[in-house]
Amino acid sequence: MWVSPEDVLLAGALWITERANPYFILQKRKGHGDGGGGLAGLLVGTLDVVLDSSARMAPYRILYQTPDSLVYWIIAHGTSRKEITEHWEWLEHNLLQTLSIFENENDITTFVKGKVQGIIAEYNKNHDVKEDDDTDKFKEASTKFRKLFGMPEEEKLVNYYSCSFWKGKVPRQGWLYLSINHLCFYSYLLGKEAKLVVRWADITQLEKSATLLLPDAIKVSTRMNEHVFSVFLNINETFKLAEQLANIAMRQLLDNKGFEQDRSLPKLKKKSPKKVSALKRDLDARAKSERYRALFRLPKDEKLDGHTDCTLWTPFNKMHILGQMFVSTNYICFTSKEETLCSLIIPLREVTIVEKADSSNVLPSPLSISTKNRMTFLFANLKDRDFLVQRISDFLQQTSSKIHIERELTSSLNSSDDEVKQIVVLVNRKSIKYYGERTFNLNDSRVPTATHALMTMYRRRSPEEFNPKLAKEFLKEQAWKNHFAEYGQGVCMYRTEKTKELVLKGIPESMRGELWLLFSGTVNEMATHPGYYEDLVEKSMGKYNLATEEIERDLHRSLPEHPAFQNEMGIAALRRVLTAYAFRNPNIGYCQAMNIVTSVLLLYAKEEEAFWLLVALCERMLPDYYNTRVVGALVDQGVFEELAREYIPQLYDCMQDLGVISTISLSWFLTLFLSVMPFESAVVVVDCFFYDGIKVIFQLALSVLHANIHQLLGCKDDGEAMTVLGRTAPSPPIPHLHSLLTDNGEPHPEVDIFKLVRSSYEKFGSIRADVIEQMRFKQRLRVIQTIEDTTKRNVVRTIVTETAFSIDELEELYVLFKAEHLTSCYWGGSSNPTERHDPSLPYLEQYRIDMEQFKGLFNLLFPWANGAHSDPLALRLFRLLDQNGDALINFREFISGLGVLCHGDLTEKLKLLYKMHVIPENTHEPEEPDSAFEATQYFFEDITPGTSIVKKLNTPEYRHYLKLWNQETKSKLENTKDLPKLNQSQFIELCKTLYSMFSEDVAEQELYHATATVTSLLLEMGEVGKLFSSSGRKDHNIEGESGPSMCLENKPSPCEEGKGDEGSEQLPSMQDIRLEDSSPKDTGISSAMLISDDETKDDTSMSSYSVLSAGSHELDEKLQCEDIADDTVLVRSEDGSSGLPHSTSIDKDWTITFEQFLASVLTEQALVHYFEKPVEVAACITNAKNVQTVGRPLLSTSDYEISLSG
């Protein structure tokens, strides 16, 4: 290919000149091609790999040089001699003569460089090559990556690193390529080549390891192997990127959201390193944005624009605090270098003024930001203040325009009269009220709507009984009011160590809802989505699905002892919040434990606030906790075990032996201790959780175990351990609710929750949020791969009784089936991946493949696959297996078809072949033969009989009996007499299939002869049957016209097909062939003839048949003979019409039955041998894996190595 001219200093080093003229030199790399160049060639090849030279991939090049210059310019390189020769010849014919005209060598150089760049620009324009941000060096690496590993264009390389791969005890120096879906390694040392390809989705463990021999190494584990890479220049960067890509793959397995490139990235700067791709910058930006959002609890769609060092003036202690300012689309945030000193969040919607103050020696480059609540923040020591102010101004303009649009939308609902304080607007018979702040009533008018936190409406007001409690509440409120006066109130308040201290002492009930919103970041989502909850409730009310059924079942189990949930108001509010969330996020819908958490949120927050708090919990603070498989909770359970091993090692082994950790942690984490602690204690835990996140839950769980360490060490079984833990966190908690709500009777004795929380911070406060995230990643790999293995086992267990395949074979086939699905997810297919993979579906339905993917597996695994003729057969089989007609088949349907071909007897195989041809074509025309209607009914009712009966009772204990039962039900349901008849056009398609199946068989000629004989018999049977069916018809007039007939003949050889070729030239395809009558009304009778001339056929001939009409001279002229193996014969046209259109040309009276087809085949021993030939299933599976490994490495079942060669 032509390349942008670059200067080369040493043209002869490591290159051999093959051709030369006064201006151009064609060179070949030493060590490439025949002979390999001996030891020097091996050394050069090794250097090319180790030093990342482009010569490894492009061993030919063309240099330009003027006679009097020492500088050479590379203008083209090539991967093959053919490619480089084409360029060389073009130069000789088009440029060489022209260059002699120039007098000045500088003019020649300018002309040549301009010409080459013009060729490149023209090529890019003609081939629609889009400009990207990647550097030339990186584009070269991408090309090398695709060629080395056979990857398509869709597989994007992210980055590549020099390292050593340990193959056994020998390190191989080479390059590690990290792409979106694969980890690849390539090495070439002294003629020995090593390749490795591992799919991210197959990785079970990814960790940095350190030993004496390998102080810095990355270990990559799959189900089959472990791979170790070492000697990295920057191991931290490599590991972080690998971690990120593996995380994306796990996310894809979990919720099917694949990687999407962010097109809004800034352009690559000139100073950027040469080896950075746009994708790498994209992923880096994502990682920074994720950390930024987690640090300040911002909405999920917030993107970090940039950050800079600065100082912040804090009026509460009169100091300039050193820290970092972060600027994003909608927020300005600050955090101090000393982690707990101070943090600040300023939403741009609250900002009124941004101004640059005068610089001084004391306060260099100051920036003042004022907000609506009259707070002013002073930043200083900003490195690039002018640029920063410009960015903030741009974001402020975007924010103000959004607010303006929202105001315009809401102004139509509000009156322009400012004196009116209460306005009632009727919309869709729902009452929406405005009292300064908007409340709503979207429920039935008979049920009052909760416009305030339920706790304020159902609190007892008897002062004699509760004076001590009320006094404590009053003191807490005063402490918080003083704090607000000093540090500010609302979203822009300064958050300091003092704030944390107040949270640990407990938030007063009257402020709990407000502060939960603030600390969780929910206040931002509410502010940016006005009216969202009301709209969602209105859309979801009255709609029913599985989630709403589960919600209704659990409504009265949510804090049933609380008065707020003993009447319709509390229950209705809980119903609305849970249903609205189920409609917002159908992937989660509703999960048990959500009702308990939501009911507590409703006690302290208004209905809309409770909804947004639930959103924050499910989608940000407890990710993946509340889905059908509680993956997030299982991940955190693994993290908790790891923390327990690190912080309380003396107890860890004992707890593992008792199996207590897994028992307790799920209930603790899913309900935030609400289900295992007294209510009053549990809400204090929730206070801390909203302030400090998941680390609080881990700290508290460790603290509970540590407080009971001696008693737990003495426990002999899990029951005794649970009893010990129950004394610390009394259970069941529900009868012992908040003491404000209890009736007469002594409350349950409880541990002081404030002491427990404080103790947890003192002993385990060193646990950092970023460390937890790293541990979560490690556990997520393990949990999701365990779930995938469980899915595989359950699928295999479900269908093992319905097939003759062994469990091991089914597992291998499932891996191949899943690999085909994943590959199409990576590089696209004819259907949407989200339709084919839904983890929330039952096991059998989770992975499904479409037609294109099925074709790939058909060619690899099915014994009837036959090169170029396989696709039509695969299409027919796919339609037969697709029982519900959704153009997707699951693993059970796939195995049902493969099982018949691999383990079925002769009758079953022929029955499958027959049924594949009675399925009606998907035509646009309404007319179908009667047999097609019968076939449709048979197709939907009786493809895999018995499976629906067996499905519910599928257990291993009854496997033997279920197999027997399956056989009985099959024999009863699938009577051969019930099979529909085959009409004329379907019979022609069946004949075509038979001929094409044998084209590469060893006994090809014998099979062709046998097929001709069978076809002859069936033709005669069909004609005889037509005689009987036509004899009873009185309304048909026979006036000397002969009906359609068929004639099958054998051709001598393809080279003697002159007439047939002429006919095919006249006809665009066989789809235009009609079995025509001379009169359209004529359905008369004609005898069929079979011309079988075995003596004239030589050994190299190809058998074929022709469709002829005795009464149609036009067709006779057009078509003398057609090769049955040719794809143009009687194939569905692209517009969906069948090979033989439904018209008077089809003789609807001509039919044959399955019994006739079976009997005819049984007369030919060659065909019987072919269909009874045993299939080596293990060999087929091994071959499929090998083909995927070598021919299509992208489909590797787990990981593979191309063995060392050389």
Side-chain angles (χ1 to χ4, degrees), residues 776-837:
R776 273 178 165 176
F777 162 73
K778 182 180 173 183
Q779 294 299 327
R780 194 178 292 118
L781 281 178
R782 181 188 59 81
V783 168
I784 292 179
Q785 296 295 13
T786 303
I787 288 172
E788 289 293 307
D789 291 342
T790 304
T791 301
K792 178 175 72 174
R793 283 195 299 272
N794 284 331
V795 168
V796 168
R797 196 180 300 125
T798 303
I799 63 175
V800 71
T801 57
E802 304 166 13
T803 178
F805 289 112
S806 68
I807 289 178
D808 290 340
E809 287 171 346
L810 284 173
E811 287 188 349
E812 295 275 15
L813 289 168
Y814 180 84
V815 170
L816 289 167
F817 186 87
K818 177 182 164 186
E820 191 71 39
H821 163 83
L822 286 175
T823 302
S824 71
C825 287
Y826 297 158
W827 304 315
S830 57
S831 58
N832 188 346
T834 54
E835 295 172 3
R836 290 181 269 114
H837 177 216

Side-chain angles (χ1 to χ4, degrees), residues 561-588:
E561 297 291 324
H562 197 298
F565 299 103
Q566 291 173 354
N567 64 80
E568 191 54 34
M569 177 181 279
I571 293 294
L574 183 59
R575 178 187 292 115
R576 282 192 297 272
V577 172
L578 290 173
T579 306
Y581 186 76
F583 274 80
R584 168 189 164 85
N585 192 343
N587 288 334
I588 291 178

